[in-house]
Amino acid sequence: MLTDEAIRSADIKGLAGWVDSHPPWSDFPFVLLTERGGGLERNPAAERQMEALGNVAFLERPFHPTTFISVVMTALRGRRRQYEARARLEALHESESHARRAEADLRKS
C-alpha cells in the first residue's frame, strides 16, 4: 500500500530494483492510493509508477471502504496464488531431480 504523494517525486529506483530482483514466479502487488484520475496522458507520473512497480492497482480517492477492502483482498489473493505457484514449481523441480537420480541409478545397474 502506497500513496501517490509518497512516491510521486521520490527516487523509486531502489524500489524498482527490489521489484526486479524477485524471482520469476513473484509479482508483488501494490495498491497505490491516488488523488488524480484520468488516463496516462493526464497523469504522466502514473506511467512511471506502473513501469517501476509492475503489478500496481490505482485506487482514486475518495473511495468507498468496500472498494478499498475489495482491492486489498484481491491483491492478497493474487499473492497467495503466487506462493502456490512457487510451491508447485519447487515440487516439480524436486520431482525432476528425483527422476534424474533414479535414471542415473538405473543406468549404473
Side-chain angles (χ1 to χ4, degrees):
M1 180 78 49
L2 298 167
T3 64
D4 182 45
E5 298 85 2
I7 66 170
R8 184 181 308 139
S9 59
D11 181 5
I12 57 176
K13 289 178 187 167
L15 182 57
W18 177 77
V19 169
D20 288 341
S21 72
H22 285 154
W25 61 264
S26 178
D27 192 16
F28 194 86
F30 289 93
V31 176
L32 184 63
L33 305 179
T34 183
E35 293 184 71
R36 296 186 214 166
L40 297 177
E41 69 282 352
R42 291 182 52 207
N43 188 1
E47 185 171 11
R48 178 177 75 98
Q49 294 160 345
M50 284 186 345
E51 191 173 303
L53 301 175
N55 185 7
V56 60
F58 291 88
L59 185 56
E60 187 175 342
R61 292 173 283 185
F63 49 81
H64 191 277
T66 303
T67 303
F68 177 73
I69 291 169
S70 172
V71 168
V72 170
M73 295 303 292
T74 299
L76 288 172
R77 208 170 24 256
R79 189 63 175 162
R80 282 188 203 109
R81 280 191 224 115
Q82 292 172 27
Y83 284 120
E84 290 169 8
R86 177 189 66 181
R88 288 183 186 137
L89 285 171
E90 289 172 348
L92 179 62
H93 289 304
E94 186 177 317
S95 176
E96 288 174 346
S97 294
H98 179 70
R100 278 191 224 110
R101 284 192 303 270
E103 182 181 351
D105 288 346
L106 285 174
R107 288 183 182 180
K108 288 179 184 177
S109 300

